[in-house]
Amino acid sequence: MLREENLAISNKYDKERKRNVALEEDKTVLKEKVNLASLLKATNISTMGVRMRAGDKEIVTDKASKVDKIKVCFTLLENLVAEPGPRSIYIRVARPDNKIIVFGAEDIYSFEYNGQRLQYSMKKDIDYANKTMNICIYWEKRDKTTEAMKGVYTVTLYCENYLIGESRFALR
């Protein structure tokens, strides 16, 4: 009788242990889904060359010889699942030769992405409040005498170790 009781308890214990393992796996899957749902997403990404006129007047241009700044505008979408608070948006601008436009090679101009240190062109610190945000940021040419490179530029946006958007524009 004791053997039967011991066997029944042992079987019940095994069933509960398997149930706990299954619940832990479900918990991990759900946690990953919540993490993905809490990511910020950038839409309406527009990137353009800008020429500056007297009085800080901007004129959009696609002529490499006229570009003084690169303007990147985008919309961060509302996300009620994401934790509100400070975030850093990193923007990388790749020239037509795939070199990233950077301020300097020091680590202060880099961020972590998938275990790698990447240089960024622009950085915008925001206070995300789970609401849609329209953001514009500029990269200003340091050497005003050298014209920008002609061709297609690629702009990528990152936040919290994720690629949140990408855009391209061309200068002729």
Side-chain angles (χ1 to χ4, degrees):
M1 191 161 132
L2 286 175
R3 278 188 201 146
E4 288 176 16
E5 190 178 327
N6 189 13
L7 186 61
I9 289 172
S10 195
N11 287 340
K12 189 176 181 180
Y13 173 76
D14 284 343
K15 285 181 185 176
E16 287 300 316
R17 189 174 48 79
K18 289 177 183 176
R19 186 172 168 242
N20 273 348
V21 168
L23 287 173
E24 280 298 318
E25 289 172 358
D26 288 348
K27 180 181 169 185
T28 302
V29 168
L30 289 173
K31 188 175 182 180
E32 288 175 16
K33 286 182 179 181
V34 168
N35 285 343
L36 286 174
S38 67
L39 294 177
L40 300 183
K41 291 177 181 58
T43 62
N44 301 327
I45 302 168
S46 67
T47 326
M48 64 205 77
V50 174
R51 181 178 185 183
M52 299 306 293
R53 290 288 199 181
D56 290 335
K57 184 177 178 183
E58 293 180 9
I59 297 174
V60 176
T61 182
D62 64 350
K63 294 182 181 174
S65 62
K66 305 286 185 194
V67 170
D68 294 320
K69 295 180 180 185
I70 295 173
K71 181 179 181 179
V72 180
C73 294
F74 57 94
T75 301
L76 280 181
L77 296 178
E78 174 182 58
N79 187 335
L80 300 176
V81 179
E83 287 288 324
R87 302 279 199 300
S88 293
I89 309 291
Y90 298 97
I91 301 168
R92 289 172 48 103
V93 178
R95 299 184 324 192
D97 62 358
N98 290 324
K99 290 189 179 179
I100 303 300
I101 299 170
V102 295
F103 289 111
E106 299 87 24
D107 275 349
I108 59 171
Y109 301 115
S110 67
F111 65 101
E112 185 85 18
Y113 177 68
N114 286 340
Q116 297 179 31
R117 297 293 307 164
L118 298 179
Q119 298 297 117
Y120 62 83
S121 306
M122 299 173 264
K123 177 184 173 186
K124 177 77 173 175
D125 292 320
I126 61 164
D127 188 18
Y128 186 69
N130 301 87
K131 298 192 181 336
T132 299
M133 296 176 71
N134 293 315
I135 298 170
C136 286
I137 185 168
Y138 294 86
W139 178 82
E140 191 166 345
K141 245 174 51 175
R142 284 186 272 173
D143 182 4
K144 305 289 186 205
T145 60
T146 305
E147 78 176 45
M149 185 179 283
K150 294 177 182 177
V152 178
Y153 288 71
T154 303
V155 178
T156 49
L157 290 78
Y158 299 85
C159 183
E160 297 180 321
N161 205 27
Y162 288 96
L163 174 68
I164 62 170
E166 187 173 46
S167 175
R168 287 182 174 72
F169 72 101
L171 296 178
R172 54 184 178 90

